[in-house]
Amino acid sequence: MATSVSATCFKFGCSANQVFNTSQISRGVKLVSMGWGRSTAGFPSLRTFRLRVAAAKAETVERVINIVRKQLALPPDTKVSPESTFNKDLGADSLDTVEIVMALEEEFGIAVEEENSENIVTVQDAADLIEKLVEKK
């Protein structure tokens, strides 16, 4: 779940024309991008930034990682983290992704709607969605 936020300033100790790249602020909250600059008309402008809030418990993330390892038959030395993307980092194709979602549904006793499954890009995305669906049960 990614949330886009615009604001005048959150007290991150920032100054004008300073840009932050992806960095971990605290457990569960990641600053994706943030910065200030000048518009073409010379007026100060605030660039938007997005905060990513990771709601899933570590136990849920670990269970998702184990299922992904099993479904993709990954070697034990393959690094799988919450930030791992299914396609780019783990080499999953669309059929693999469908099978992973089906295994997650079975493991957690949930039903993932197609529009929700299209938003799953990383292991953390999957874990966050699972937590959300389990809470609704």
Side-chain angles (χ1 to χ4, degrees):
M1 176 177 96
T3 305
S4 293
V5 181
S6 295
T8 54
C9 185
F10 285 90
K11 296 181 182 177
F12 290 118
C14 50
S15 62
N17 297 320
Q18 188 172 5
V19 177
F20 299 94
N21 292 324
T22 303
S23 62
Q24 196 71 24
I25 293 175
S26 64
R27 183 180 180 274
V29 179
K30 184 189 285 186
L31 179 64
V32 177
S33 63
M34 178 177 158
W36 283 262
R38 295 234 176 242
S39 67
T40 55
F43 297 104
S45 66
L46 175 68
R47 295 180 190 163
T48 60
F49 62 91
R50 295 168 285 156
L51 293 175
R52 178 173 176 75
V53 179
K57 299 174 197 160
E59 175 188 332
T60 303
V61 173
E62 198 57 42
R63 286 172 68 188
V64 170
I65 288 173
N66 290 336
I67 290 168
V68 169
R69 280 186 181 285
K70 181 179 176 186
Q71 288 300 126
L72 297 177
L74 296 174
D77 62 335
T78 302
K79 183 180 184 291
V80 181
S81 70
E83 293 80 24
S84 297
T85 59
F86 291 108
N87 295 13
K88 185 178 172 188
D89 297 332
L90 303 175
D93 61 21
S94 58
L95 180 58
D96 292 328
T97 305
V98 169
E99 290 175 347
I100 289 168
V101 170
M102 290 172 55
L104 293 171
E105 288 176 326
E106 185 177 324
E107 172 74 18
F108 291 94
I110 57 171
V112 178
E113 300 294 325
E114 186 175 340
E115 59 270 6
N116 287 335
S117 67
E118 292 171 357
N119 296 324
I120 299 173
V121 177
T122 66
V123 170
Q124 185 68 55
D125 292 339
D128 291 344
L129 179 61
I130 289 166
E131 292 272 326
K132 180 178 159 187
L133 294 173
V134 167
E135 285 177 13
K136 286 183 179 181
K137 274 180 37 172

